[in-house]
Amino acid sequence: MTAALAAGCTAGTGPAEDGRGRPQTPVPDQSPTTGASPLAVKIDNAPAARPQTGLDAADVVYAEQVEGGLSRLMAVYATMLPQVVGPVRSARESDLELLRQYFDPTLAFSGAQRKLLPLIDSAPLQAEPPGKVSGAYFRGTDKAAPHNLYLRPARLVPSPPGTAALTNGFRYGAAPAGGKAETTRTVRFPAARFTFTWSPGKHSYSVAMDGTPTVSPGGKAVAPATVVVQHVKVRESDFHDFLGNNTPYTETVGSGKAEVLRDGRVYDVDWKREQATDGTDFTTPDGKPVNFAKGQVWVVLVKSG
């Protein structure tokens, strides 16, 4: 682990923040109040980290751009907790805004840049890096460091909180009218790509990352029922990695265009999230809510063209 990634407990206190990592005057907490808190895990997506463990059990998987145009994943667990998840890697500033739509989430991550740690401490979430809970993390022997840090979720969250913890605004049900047939979609970051291919027999999409099928260590395919390609603003943040590369900031509050893939069809939709504490609404051009198919959802956060 490089010196730029401070693996270990966050410490100290900081000013209140608005979910974007910017200090502001303290205000009453306006986080969702379901009483059910999901587990979010930052997962390594470098080729050396694959195949990942526990990714197939997530309710939602977010794919975000990081330094050098590469990708990293955030998996959110509510209905199932696998025995092991990983490899676990470091948090980013954008994660604080993304997670505000969930009530008091537990965030498992391997560390963060030193200047980011106070912002994580002051965010409305339960930060759980290595060293904070005895036995929650361990180093595997199948991969070289830093791609071999794994989490035992039950050490952080005793039992699955259930669907009430998914306060992200997603709706599930019958497909909207319209759309067009599309069996394969490739989404590109500057130095990463995701390909989703519809499988009618499995009623889900197979996933390939950088051309390699995404499976569990045992060979089980990661198979989302819905894929969202969400076009967002990606700007420079105030942070850099140890090589001097700027850390991108992915804005998930706002509005824009998206494509929803389900049932072998694609739907052009609008998205809106007015405040950090709101879930994200996906609607048809005439304003009707868009339902997702029941099952895992992947959200690929891609820079608006």
Side-chain angles (χ1 to χ4, degrees), residues 72-237:
R72 190 156 291 178
L73 307 177
M74 178 185 287
V76 177
Y77 299 88
T79 61
M80 290 188 292
L81 291 177
Q83 290 186 341
V84 176
V85 174
V88 180
R89 288 301 297 271
S90 55
R92 295 295 185 274
E93 184 186 8
S94 302
D95 301 333
L96 306 183
E97 176 178 288
L98 181 63
L99 287 174
R100 283 296 302 278
Q101 62 197 301
Y102 297 98
F103 169 72
D104 196 30
T106 296
L107 174 61
F109 61 108
S110 66
Q113 297 183 23
R114 179 176 54 82
K115 293 181 180 180
L116 180 58
L117 294 177
L119 301 180
I120 296 174
D121 285 335
S122 62
L125 53 79
Q126 301 298 317
E128 298 288 358
K132 194 172 180 181
V133 178
S134 177
Y137 293 87
F138 67 95
R139 290 283 178 185
T141 59
D142 58 335
K143 300 179 178 71
H147 311 291
N148 63 347
L149 181 67
Y150 292 89
L151 170 72
R152 298 182 179 94
R155 300 292 178 95
L156 302 183
V157 180
S159 61
T163 56
L166 298 174
T167 54
N168 46 29
F170 296 176
R171 296 168 178 261
Y172 299 85
K180 60 182 180 181
E182 181 174 294
T183 56
T184 301
R185 168 65 66 100
T186 295
V187 185
R188 299 180 186 275
F189 288 178
R193 74 182 189 275
F194 300 83
T195 299
F196 302 94
T197 303
W198 173 246
S199 174
K202 297 180 179 178
H203 300 285
S204 60
Y205 290 85
S206 63
V207 183
M209 295 188 287
D210 301 324
T212 302
T214 303
V215 297
S216 69
K220 181 180 179 181
V222 175
T226 304
V227 177
V228 180
V229 182
Q230 186 174 344
H231 300 270
V232 298
K233 182 177 181 180
V234 179
R235 58 170 173 80
E236 291 188 351
S237 74

Side-chain angles (χ1 to χ4, degrees), residues 60-62 98 101-102 166-176 226-232 251-262 267-274 278-293 297-302:
V60 185
V61 177
Y62 296 96
L98 181 63
Q101 62 197 301
Y102 297 98
L166 298 174
T167 54
N168 46 29
F170 296 176
R171 296 168 178 261
Y172 299 85
T226 304
V227 177
V228 180
V229 182
Q230 186 174 344
H231 300 270
V232 298
E251 295 190 4
T252 53
V253 172
S255 60
K257 300 295 184 180
E259 293 88 50
V260 172
L261 284 66
R262 58 165 294 176
Y267 301 86
D268 295 322
V269 306
D270 299 312
W271 70 269
K272 179 183 290 186
R273 184 177 169 209
E274 294 185 351
D278 293 338
T280 306
D281 293 324
F282 294 92
T283 57
T284 60
D286 60 359
K288 295 181 180 179
V290 172
N291 291 329
F292 296 168
V297 178
W298 275 57
V299 181
V300 184
L301 300 166
V302 62

